[in-house]
Amino acid sequence: MTKVLLVDDSAVMRKIIQRNIKETGLIVDEFVEAGDGNQALDKVNAVGDLDLILVDWNMPNMSGIEFVKTLRSLNLAKRTPVVMVTTEGSAAKVSEAKNSGADGYLTKPFTADQLRDALGNYLSIQ
Amino acid sequence: MATATFDNIVEDIISCTNEVFATMIPMEITSDGSFHQKEDMISTDVISLVSFTGEHSGIIAFFGSKKMAMKITSNMLGIEVSSVDQDVKDAMGELTNMIGGTLKNKVFESFGAMHLSVPIVIAGVDLSISSASNKNDKHNVSISPGVTCNSQNSWMMTPFSCEGDTFNMGLVVKKND
């Protein structure tokens, strides 16, 4: 049972990511959604075992980077990889994300191949 | 640092908009130059704005009809959308956010680092933007109903055609002192 947490303040973007994941053949059984970092922390605590967390950077209340830092500092979901999915594409932001505990980085907009490359290490492919 | 020019940024806006439409919508669009919208009135149904601050500040915005916004949203979600609902507003915000983010990454060398705001989307009928000079010769740009911003530059519009309809990507930008 593969569970992925999608964290993005745009419900449309969460739908687009789900559709693209399915279309690229990556196998996910359940998507759990959150609209900001605070909601995401609640979901991590409530859902338990997650196989992957995809998180946007710019969100209200708690940003994606604050979420990653909090997640790692509290040692929550410590075996769950986190991939940032964001329009922030500078080398400095990528470096900040990785130094904060993110395992991967995908810049929006992305192609199907880029999505597969970014998530292929964490999800099975049909 | 290279000098930022409108000539260069038009090409960047076209390139960024094409990239977002090709990958995330997906829809085929064509661009047709650009024009400056100074004191003129704009009449449109859907406006989606992302402001940016940094060495330069300004706004990048989508201006289009309800029909165009619904068509784009339908393609983004893979389902038919028949009214301008929350999904359409969300989609237009995300569209402008992605175009603004891609542009920010592309013009970093000439415009310096920028911070983007979260998108603001307004949908209605015949929404207008009007510019009027104040005492400091700035253009007060008011977007009915009730959203205001200030710019020393005129809107630069880059028109796009798509499946028999059109939309504009607008930009106001100024270098901060």
Side-chain angles (χ1 to χ4, degrees):
Chain A
M1 181 85 176
T2 306
K3 278 189 272 190
V4 172
L5 173 60
L6 296 177
V7 192
D8 197 307
D9 56 326
S10 165
V12 162
M13 184 50 65
R14 298 198 300 265
K15 289 177 189 171
I16 290 171
I17 292 171
Q18 287 182 46
R19 191 183 77 173
N20 287 347
I21 285 175
K22 288 173 186 165
E23 286 178 356
T24 52
L26 293 161
I27 299 170
V28 176
D29 298 302
E30 183 183 346
F31 288 102
V32 180
E33 298 184 37
D36 62 40
N38 285 326
Q39 288 179 20
L41 288 173
D42 290 343
K43 296 287 184 184
V44 168
N45 284 318
V47 174
D49 286 344
L50 290 161
D51 295 281
L52 179 63
I53 299 172
L54 304 182
V55 58
D56 187 18
W57 191 298
N58 294 314
M59 294 182 292
N61 303 320
M62 182 189 282
S63 71
I65 198 69
E66 289 174 292
F67 165 75
V68 175
K69 286 175 183 172
T70 305
L71 191 77
R72 295 314 189 202
S73 68
L74 296 177
N75 225 6
L76 293 168
K78 55 186 174 187
R79 280 181 296 216
T80 306
V82 177
V83 176
M84 303 288 300
V85 184
T86 172
T87 57
E88 298 285 356
S90 69
K93 292 287 188 184
V94 174
S95 177
E96 183 182 352
K98 297 209 167 161
N99 290 338
S100 300
D103 300 277
Y105 206 95
L106 178 63
T107 306
K108 294 186 281 191
F110 50 79
T111 64
D113 285 346
Q114 288 167 336
L115 180 70
R116 198 182 299 110
D117 288 347
L119 308 188
N121 287 339
Y122 314 113
L123 300 172
S124 303
I125 300 180
Q126 285 174 342
Chain B
M1 181 173 289
T3 304
T5 70
F6 272 138
D7 290 341
N8 293 337
I9 207 164
V10 168
E11 290 173 18
D12 290 330
I13 288 171
I14 291 170
S15 161
C16 294
T17 306
N18 281 333
E19 184 181 342
V20 170
F21 270 78
T23 54
M24 302 300 285
I25 312 294
M27 285 174 94
E28 200 167 304
I29 57 172
T30 55
S31 57
D32 185 18
S34 66
F35 60 93
H36 289 268
Q37 188 87 43
K38 225 168 179 180
E39 302 289 339
D40 301 331
M41 297 288 288
I42 301 164
S43 180
T44 190
D45 297 336
V46 179
I47 302 172
S48 173
L49 305 151
V50 171
S51 64
F52 53 89
T53 55
E55 290 178 30
H56 289 74
S57 60
I59 300 170
I60 184 158
F62 166 94
F63 301 95
S65 67
K66 286 182 179 178
K67 187 179 159 196
M68 187 78 254
M70 288 190 291
K71 200 181 290 183
I72 292 168
T73 306
S74 295
N75 273 50
M76 281 175 99
L77 294 176
I79 55 170
E80 201 59 35
V81 174
S82 57
S83 65
V84 179
D85 57 12
Q86 187 55 42
D87 274 352
V88 174
K89 292 176 188 169
D90 191 354
M92 291 304 98
E94 197 56 35
L95 172 75
T96 312
N97 184 47
M98 283 191 286
I99 293 171
T102 308
L103 184 68
K104 181 182 91 163
N105 298 331
K106 198 176 278 282
V107 303
F108 174 79
E109 285 291 319
S110 49
F111 279 76
M114 293 178 188
H115 176 73
L116 295 188
S117 74
V118 294
I120 296 170
V121 182
I122 309 160
V125 178
D126 294 334
L127 297 176
S128 64
I129 287 182
S130 59
S131 305
S133 297
N134 68 10
K135 287 177 184 174
N136 298 322
D137 200 29
K138 289 182 180 178
H139 295 123
N140 287 323
V141 182
S142 63
I143 301 164
S144 175
V147 178
T148 61
C149 58
N150 293 316
S151 168
Q152 291 183 326
N153 298 308
S154 60
W155 283 89
M156 188 190 62
M157 295 294 191
T158 307
F160 291 87
S161 301
C162 178
E163 297 181 10
D165 211 332
T166 60
F167 66 91
N168 287 323
M169 291 307 300
L171 178 76
V172 285
V173 60
K174 72 179 178 71
K175 187 168 183 7
N176 291 321
D177 298 328

